[in-house]
Structure formats: C-alpha cells, structure tokens
Amino acid sequence: MLRRDFLKASAALAAAGFPAASLLAAGTAPAQLKFLGQPQAFDYAWLKGHAKQLAGKAYEPPVNHIPPEVKALDWDQYQAISYRDGHALWGEDQLRFQVKFFHLGLFFKSPVQIYELKNGQAQELAYDSAMFNYGKSGLKADHMPKDLGFAGFRVNFHTDLERDITAFLGASYFRAVGAEWQYGLSARGLAIDCGMDKPEEFPMFTSFWLERPAKDSGKLVVYALLDSPSVAGAYRFEIQPSATMVMDVDVALYPRKTIERMGVAPLTSMFQYGENDRRIGASDDWRPEIHDSDGLAMQRGNGEWIWRPLVNPEHLRFNAYQDENPRGFGLLQRDRNFDHYQDDGVFYDRRPSLWVEPKSGWGKGAVQLVEIPTADETFDNIVAFWNPADKPQAGQERLFAYRLHWGSKMPFTPPLAQVMATRTGMGGVVGQKRAYYSRRFAIDFAGGDLALLGKDAKVKPMISVSRGKVEITSARPLDAIHGYRVMFDLKPVDDSVEPIDIRVYLAADSQPLSETWLYQWTPPAPAKRIY
C-alpha cells in the first residue's frame, strides 16, 4: 500500500472515530474465548531477546491467506461487521478493562497474533467467527477460515463500556482519547525514511501480549513485537485512562541495517487549512477551519519553548529542529473554539493533543516535521518524530523510554505567554496605494505575565528572518484575550520562491515574555506577487 493510501485509510477511521455503534452488536450472553496451543512463559526480557534474535535473520514478509471475499470488502461492507459484546476478553471477569478485536479486511489484510498474558504465562487467542456479527457485509460466518486471525484490538474501560479508550490497528498505528472521548491524531511504534525521496517503510506490530490486569487495577499493560525489513523491536505500553490519558512506552530496537532516517515516537496528524493557511479549501468548504492539530510544540533541552504553526504546503516540506536531550514535543490542537470549525459531525474542536515526554536523555538529534500537501481531510499529512543524530547500525540495541499524554490539557505548558492564533494576509497600509508586494503576519500571545503588564510597559516584538525585509512592526495590548498582538510585514527582496524562516517572541527589558513562534513562509512566484 502506498503511503497516501495507508494514511488516508488511517485518517478515515479516525474520522469515523472507531464508533462503538458500528463495531459492537447488541449485548449477548458471555461466551468462552478459545485459545491455541499451550501457555508459554513470557516477560519483557524474553520479548527483547526474541526481537534481537529476529533482527539477526533476514526479514520475512508476513504471509496471509485471507479469502478473496474478505480482501474485496469496501468501506460500507467492512463497517457492517460488528463485534459481539459477549466475546470481549475479560468481559465476564469484573475487571476494569475489556478488549475487543477488529476483523480483517478493507485496508487491514495482515493478521496479528494476540496473546493473553496471565501470571507470566502467555497463550494465543484463537479467531472465531462467532465473535463477529457479519450483518450486511456479504460475508458468511461459516465460510471464514478457522485460522483467519485478527487485524487489531481496542480497549474499553469500566467507566464506559460502549466507547473505547484506545485502539491498535494497522501497521504500528494506535490512538487514544482523553476526557473528550474523541479520536484524532495517531501515534506509531516507529517511522522509517519518512519524508525522503524514496518509499517510506512502515514497520508492523505483528504480535501483541495483553496482560490480564489485577481486579481493581486502573492500568493495562500491553506488549508488542515490531518487525520490518530494517528493524525488529520490542515494546511495552502501560496504559492509564484519565482525563488526560497517559501511556508509558519502553522500546528496544534492533536494526538489521543502517537506517537513514529513524523516527522515534512518531505522531501523525492532519492539517488541511486554518486561520494561518487558507491555500486549500477555505473558499470552497463551508467550515472555517479543518485540522486535527494546529501546531508543533517543543520544549528544547535548554528549556526554550517553541510553537510552530502547521501548514498545508504546495510541495512536501521537511524541517529539522536540532536539539540535545529534548524535554518534550507534541502535535497540539490549541484552538478549541467550536465556532472556529463549525463542524458538528467530527468535532475538530474536541480532537486530542498528544505530547511526548522523554523519560531519559535522548542525546543529540532533532525533532523533525514532515508536512505533505493534501486536498482531503481524510488524509493524514503531518508527521513529527525524534531522529537520533547517530544513525542506527545493524547489530545495535537502541533503547528509548517516553510517556505519551493524550487529551485537551497537556501536563506541561510554557510558563511564558503562548501563541493563541496566527493569521496572514496582504501587507501594506490600508487606504494607501501599495507600491510592492508584502505579506502581513499577525500573532496573538496570551498567558504568562502579559495580563500583569501596565500600560507603560515597553513590550517589543523580537523578529528575525532568514531572508527579506521586515517592516511596519508593532506589539500592542489585545484586551479581548488579555494578551498582545504582534504585527509585521515581510517583503521579499529577491525572486526566490524558497521558504523563508521567521522567528518571533515578545520581550521587555531584554527578558522573554513569550514562547518562540517559528514559521516558514514560501513567497509566491514573482508573477503572482499581486499588490
């Protein structure tokens, strides 16, 4: 599957939200799940050893024997397959978690092995067509192979057994929700060669081990084996549902070969258009904005906070933000005003943000951002990840530990003022004839100590650009948000259409008052610089 097709499928399921109504049949009597083989001893040390051993061998692509009628399912047919409540793992054990499984088909044609882990012993769960109600899918339960397998799984928490809190489905993709119960962007186990001039490699979680939680435990532990032509890996997820969902992730990677661009803790989202970038859709769609995330946030190793608004570029755009021992990064949806989206179907104002918090020093490297052109909101076109400076080599063990935070409120926020909005438009002075082309930028800052500043405070916008001339600058109070608005024009001084990097923050008496706003603007071709 091509990258665009895969991400479009992934985003489409996000838009659908893995809805409980379409994936769950009416309640039925509890059923006894079936298992394969005998229980075998299992722990994370064994899984790491297994991954290392696997990496020492040539990669073997997954083999599947999916019937043609399953491969041929279209979207509506696949959605017609529902899971029977009575077949949930731990459904009759009065635990705080239940697990239900996804059927193969549509875009998900590689079966994964799923094991229950209990008292240090793992046993594989068997596929059983009785787990599913095939409805109007056109499939017949008695025609399904007994060893068909599963596409993935999703987890319910005891506070609401109708809506799932997390789902693992497709390659190494997974999603989670916070208090808003709204799916949005995804995380992945690993990204390889993303945004390069060669096909991206999509590692796959091929096996999962679901550890049976203690009776009153609010934590669920999931282990996963990752495999691809370039690397094998062992993963441990500790999942803690809350208003801001927390996942502790431990990763052990074993490269088969040198990896040119390895993306650790990759995040995948969608930005079609917003108040800062109306290139696509704004004139044709009735909604003012369409995006799952509106910016990349970073806290650098030196403590500096960065906000980089997302864009939908005309051509693939790649940026690398060099750092050492980053404190965190994430794709956030800061704008939570329904009126800014007017979407009462998929509710972009409720989409979760996702923050990556390294739990140990990651050394030198870069937070990298890939922005891909899209004209379709069902296509995930934004990817952010950490790329170590030292390229992984065959035979190495690379260890990473981090915490993921899913929800509308992040645990770490800048102590300084934050960027609340970014807007762009035609430059120049209203009422005066323009003599040349320029672009206006308006950036709103709020929070921190801005509301405490007196009328005589000398607040200055600190602006730097990689090319061009900055003019008509100002920083003035904006009472509506108890903050400040920075405005300036940027005039191209040559005919180049290469991107211009812009950096802005607020200061008073040489002291920063805000996080740093980074932007990359691409001037139009000279013939299109209309004024």
Side-chain angles (χ1 to χ4, degrees):
M1 180 181 293
L2 296 176
R3 173 187 174 80
R4 186 179 184 92
D5 295 333
F6 191 94
L7 293 182
K8 185 171 182 178
S10 180
L13 285 171
F18 297 138
S22 66
L23 293 171
L24 290 176
T28 57
Q32 188 69 37
L33 298 182
K34 299 177 182 179
F35 291 87
L36 301 172
Q38 297 298 315
Q40 300 290 328
F42 176 92
D43 59 20
Y44 188 46
W46 176 88
L47 182 59
K48 289 193 290 184
H50 180 58
K52 183 177 181 179
Q53 183 181 41
L54 191 64
K57 303 176 182 178
Y59 173 69
E60 296 184 8
V63 177
N64 60 64
H65 304 285
I66 300 178
E69 60 269 31
V70 177
K71 290 183 179 180
L73 290 173
D74 63 23
W75 172 259
D76 291 332
Q77 290 172 321
Y78 184 72
Q79 286 291 89
I81 303 173
S82 57
Y83 195 85
R84 299 184 185 276
D85 284 347
H87 291 258
L89 178 64
W90 310 319
E92 54 184 304
D93 297 330
Q94 296 184 336
L95 303 180
R96 294 189 176 184
F97 295 91
Q98 294 184 13
V99 181
K100 303 180 179 76
F101 306 102
F102 288 108
H103 201 279
L104 288 165
L106 195 62
F107 311 105
F108 312 105
K109 299 174 183 177
S110 295
V112 296
Q113 294 178 300
I114 299 179
Y115 298 80
E116 181 189 26
L117 177 59
K118 181 179 178 181
N119 298 324
Q121 298 288 309
Q123 191 170 15
E124 185 177 0
L125 282 154
Y127 163 84
D128 184 350
S129 61
M131 293 175 165
F132 300 92
N133 181 343
Y134 289 93
K136 296 182 179 180
S137 68
L139 301 181
K140 297 184 181 301
D142 56 359
H143 289 180
M144 294 296 99
K146 296 185 181 299
D147 60 349
L148 182 61
F150 305 104
F153 67 92
R154 55 199 179 84
V155 179
N156 296 100
F157 196 51
H158 71 106
T159 55
D160 187 336
L161 293 177
E162 289 299 309
R163 295 181 289 181
D164 38 309
I165 58 170
T166 187
F168 288 72
L169 177 65
S172 66
Y173 283 82
F174 57 99
R175 288 189 174 89
V177 301
E180 294 71 28
W181 291 97
Q182 180 68 52
Y183 278 121
L185 78 170
S186 303
R188 281 194 267 171
L190 196 67
I192 295 180
D193 295 339
C194 179
M196 300 186 70
D197 57 356
K198 60 181 179 179
E200 181 175 350
E201 182 178 311
F202 288 91
M204 293 181 59
F205 286 140
T206 60
S207 301
F208 294 96
W209 290 260
L210 311 175
E211 186 169 18
R212 180 187 176 93
K215 184 175 179 60
D216 297 321
S217 175
K219 297 181 181 181
L220 176 66
V221 176
V222 174
Y223 299 90
L225 176 67
L226 179 137
D227 199 17
S228 80
S230 296
V231 64
Y235 287 70
R236 182 185 186 274
F237 300 89
E238 185 173 285
I239 302 168
Q240 303 175 62
S242 59
T244 299
M245 161 84 79
V246 173
M247 289 185 182
D248 286 305
V249 186
D250 289 287
V251 182
L253 299 173
Y254 303 93
R256 286 189 169 93
K257 59 183 180 181
T258 301
I259 300 175
E260 184 68 20
R261 181 181 293 169
M262 183 174 77
V264 176
L267 316 178
T268 300
S269 192
M270 180 275 296
F271 183 94
Q272 185 178 355
Y273 63 89
E275 56 201 6
N276 64 299
D277 183 358
R278 294 170 288 179
R279 184 181 65 84
I280 294 291
S283 61
D284 297 323
D285 197 292
W286 58 274
R287 294 163 295 178
E289 300 186 41
I290 297 177
H291 50 79
D292 283 336
S293 306
D294 52 12
L296 168 65
M298 294 173 276
Q299 187 182 18
R300 294 168 49 83
N302 63 7
E304 181 185 19
W305 284 89
I306 303 291
W307 177 253
R308 163 59 156 82
L310 299 175
V311 299
N312 180 1
E314 290 191 55
H315 308 286
L316 186 147
R317 183 176 291 181
F318 172 81
N319 282 271
Y321 302 99
Q322 304 298 323
D323 203 358
E324 183 172 0
N325 296 324
R327 301 186 188 183
F329 67 93
L331 292 175
L332 310 187
Q333 185 77 315
R334 276 188 177 172
D335 188 345
R336 299 199 166 271
N337 188 332
F338 172 80
D339 188 53
H340 293 179
Y341 303 94
Q342 286 295 325
D343 195 315
D344 58 349
V346 297
F347 296 101
Y348 286 113
D349 57 301
R350 301 180 188 174
R351 297 289 167 130
S353 297
L354 179 50
W355 181 259
V356 179
E357 176 194 357
K359 297 172 70 175
S360 59
W362 282 3
K364 294 182 179 181
V367 174
Q368 299 187 345
L369 175 66
V370 179
E371 295 166 301
I372 305 169
T374 183
D376 187 344
E377 66 192 280
T378 63
F379 172 44
D380 278 4
N381 63 319
I382 305 294
V383 188
F385 49 83
W386 173 255
N387 178 237
D390 295 331
K391 295 179 182 179
Q393 306 293 322
Q396 289 183 337
E397 179 184 62
R398 304 296 293 268
L399 302 176
F400 298 91
Y402 52 94
R403 176 170 288 177
L404 297 176
H405 303 266
W406 307 75
S408 62
K409 297 181 179 179
M410 295 292 95
F412 307 103
T413 57
L416 304 173
Q418 297 181 51
V419 176
M420 305 306 294
T422 300
R423 298 178 177 87
T424 67
M426 177 64 73
V429 178
V430 175
Q432 296 183 16
K433 184 178 180 179
R434 296 177 175 87
Y436 50 83
Y437 174 84
S438 63
R439 193 70 177 170
R440 171 67 52 84
F441 292 87
I443 311 157
D444 294 346
F445 294 87
D449 294 332
L450 293 186
L452 301 177
L453 297 177
K455 294 182 179 180
D456 296 329
K458 298 185 183 302
V459 177
K460 295 182 178 181
M462 311 304 291
I463 306 170
S464 60
V465 298
S466 61
R467 195 174 75 251
K469 180 182 178 182
V470 175
E471 53 189 21
I472 318 179
T473 64
S474 65
R476 60 182 186 268
L478 187 60
D479 291 340
I481 62 171
H482 304 291
Y484 271 71
R485 172 168 289 173
V486 171
M487 297 184 72
F488 64 94
D489 286 2
L490 179 56
K491 174 188 174 184
V493 293
D494 54 36
D495 292 342
S496 174
V497 293
E498 290 299 309
I500 298 176
D501 294 317
I502 315 171
R503 180 184 179 94
V504 178
Y505 67 93
L506 287 174
D509 297 326
S510 301
Q511 295 298 313
L513 294 173
S514 72
E515 65 183 358
T516 301
W517 176 89
L518 298 183
Y519 205 74
Q520 195 170 67
W521 174 59
T522 301
K528 295 183 178 180
R529 296 178 186 179
I530 301 172
Y531 56 87

